[in-house]
Amino acid sequence: MSILPIRLYPDPVLRVRCGEVLNFDSTLDRLIADMVETMYAAPGIGLAAPQVGIDRRLAVVDLSVGDAPDALLVLVNPRIVEQEGAEVDVEGCLSLPGITEKIERPTRIVVEAVHANGEPFSVEAEDWMARAICHELDHLDGVLFTDRLTGLKKDKAKRALKRLVEDQQGVLV
């Protein structure tokens, strides 16, 4: 397993609508293992394939950050088929370091996906798990949590994103 570099805004891969996973083989197994290791090392509670430069519909989520082996959820080709409720809470993102803001998300979702072996399954998630899954699935559509902001919060996020780009350019020089 390897820790992969996490792509930071404004990397163009973060804005791509990802393609479906078509090959369920050892390459996929390796990518999943690397993504899980990368997520835990960050540390984070979720990671989507575009955040490590891969244009595929794959995400991993673990609210326990590796403390509970059964808590890991691997979602291949996921899609939300039901959602209800709404709750506002703070989110951050490994690809937008230092930026957090309150975002509205559903309080309950049902997701259909497939396992790494290609077997379909569905999962119902509530509260923080629903939030984390929604956040990661947004990445698969090229959507960042800051895109969901409006008004003054959106203006504040734009300034923070601009500073993030400037900081990265200063590192590259």
Side-chain angles (χ1 to χ4, degrees):
M1 293 187 296
S2 303
I3 296 175
L4 304 171
I6 295 174
R7 303 294 181 94
L8 302 178
Y9 178 86
D11 192 310
V13 74
L14 298 173
R15 292 304 195 172
V16 170
R17 177 163 170 63
C18 296
E20 298 267 321
V21 172
L22 301 174
N23 298 316
F24 296 85
D25 55 17
S26 61
T27 302
L28 177 62
D29 294 336
R30 172 67 185 227
L31 175 58
I32 291 168
D34 289 348
M35 286 178 59
V36 170
E37 185 173 354
T38 302
M39 174 181 65
Y40 291 157
I45 62 168
L47 189 68
Q51 291 181 276
V52 293
I54 307 295
D55 169 15
R56 286 293 165 254
R57 298 190 74 75
L58 170 64
V60 294
V61 178
D62 183 351
L63 298 184
S64 81
V65 194
D67 289 340
D70 294 339
L72 176 64
L73 181 62
V74 177
L75 299 164
V76 181
N77 298 334
R79 63 187 187 94
I80 296 172
V81 295
E82 288 180 36
Q83 64 181 23
E84 64 183 44
E87 182 177 60
V88 175
D89 212 329
V90 176
E91 286 186 28
C93 181
L94 297 173
S95 294
L96 305 173
I99 300 174
T100 59
E101 193 54 75
K102 290 183 177 181
I103 303 292
E104 182 176 294
R105 297 282 187 187
T107 54
R108 180 190 159 278
I109 61 172
V110 176
V111 176
E112 291 180 352
V114 293
H115 292 288
N117 64 6
E119 181 182 327
F121 73 99
S122 66
V123 63
E124 181 177 340
E126 295 181 342
D127 304 320
W128 272 104
M129 181 59 101
R131 175 175 297 280
I133 292 171
C134 288
H135 179 105
E136 298 312 326
L137 270 56
D138 270 358
H139 277 298
L140 303 182
D141 292 326
V143 176
L144 302 175
F145 80 91
T146 53
D147 297 336
R148 297 195 172 278
L149 298 171
T150 59
L152 293 175
K153 288 182 180 182
K154 188 165 195 86
D155 292 341
K156 178 183 168 191
K158 283 182 182 178
R159 288 190 302 274
L161 290 171
K162 183 178 178 186
R163 281 191 304 275
L164 183 61
V165 171
E166 291 169 351
D167 289 347
Q168 286 182 50
Q169 289 173 343
V171 170
L172 298 174
V173 174

